[in-house]
Amino acid sequence: MSAETVGRGEHYAANGTRGDVVLRIDGSKPLTTESVAAVEAACSAAESDTSTTMLAVQVTGTPGKDWTYGLEVALVSKWERALRRLERLGVTTVAVASGDCGGLALDVLLATDYRIATPDVRLSLHVDGDATWPGMAVFRLAQQSGGNRLRRAILFGAPLDAQDSLDLGLVDEVTDDLATALTATAEMVGGLSGRELAIRRQLMFDATTTSFEDALGRHLAACDRALRRSATTRTP
């Protein structure tokens, strides 16, 4: 775990949250084993405290031209597995994005549940020599949005500013008042079950690749689970 990327009680932590783990990702930094460890450590910290309902994530920065120099696909694979764990975490993940966001910062942002951006945010894929970096950010961008502006971003590395990102649904709100936005988000998710959230999130992911007939059984199982849970907590 890196002290630079995982902290407790820092100024981006939302008031009112019971858990106070904050994951910070600087997109200007190269992908290293420490980057993977930071994401894994934040996930473990959030999961180990049953009172935690929200993991705050701060992302900013974009990589330089030599970002992929010396990078090996085995490390990229470990990074993508860490992102997948973050994406399927049993608590709500809330990101705050500011300034230029690319590389690791964009990867992490796209793996979170709720995204707050400052007006100066610009999302962009890293251009590696003669093309954009073909990591799973391309998959998540295409899965989560569409349109001409996104195509230009994926194919040519064209930045998406705050309004573009909001219009494309890549961020949920744009504000200068991050503390108020985080506190409101914490209040919104505070009463929700992280375990149930993970089930709804997976149903949402599966909806883009699963037929109605195949999805029906999973949704009915989730409905049955919800009904059983409600029955045990209902007052006669």
Side-chain angles (χ1 to χ4, degrees), residues 27-78:
S28 69
K29 299 292 179 62
L31 174 58
T32 62
T33 54
E34 287 74 20
S35 312
V36 176
V39 174
E40 295 281 5
C43 291
S44 296
E47 290 176 331
S48 64
D49 181 2
T50 56
S51 69
T52 298
T53 58
M54 188 180 98
L55 169 62
V57 181
Q58 179 189 345
V59 297
T60 189
T62 192
K65 291 182 179 179
D66 296 331
W67 182 64
T68 57
Y69 179 77
L71 191 59
E72 296 182 354
V73 74
L75 181 57
V76 176
S77 177
K78 290 179 181 177

Side-chain angles (χ1 to χ4, degrees), residues 136-205:
M136 287 298 284
V138 172
F139 175 86
R140 291 189 173 92
L141 282 169
Q143 187 184 54
Q144 296 171 16
S145 192
N148 292 338
R149 282 176 290 185
L150 183 61
R151 192 170 67 247
R152 288 195 296 271
I154 290 176
L155 296 182
F156 311 121
L160 299 168
D161 64 18
Q163 191 60 54
D164 290 337
S165 302
L166 191 62
D167 292 344
L168 290 168
L170 297 176
V171 301
D172 295 284
E173 60 178 300
V174 176
T175 179
D176 278 323
D177 190 351
L178 297 178
T180 298
L182 270 172
T183 299
T185 305
E187 291 174 354
M188 177 177 70
V189 306
L192 302 178
S193 161
R195 190 172 182 181
E196 294 300 318
L197 167 86
I199 293 173
R200 306 300 185 277
R201 187 195 289 133
Q202 190 58 48
L203 290 173
M204 183 176 68
F205 289 158

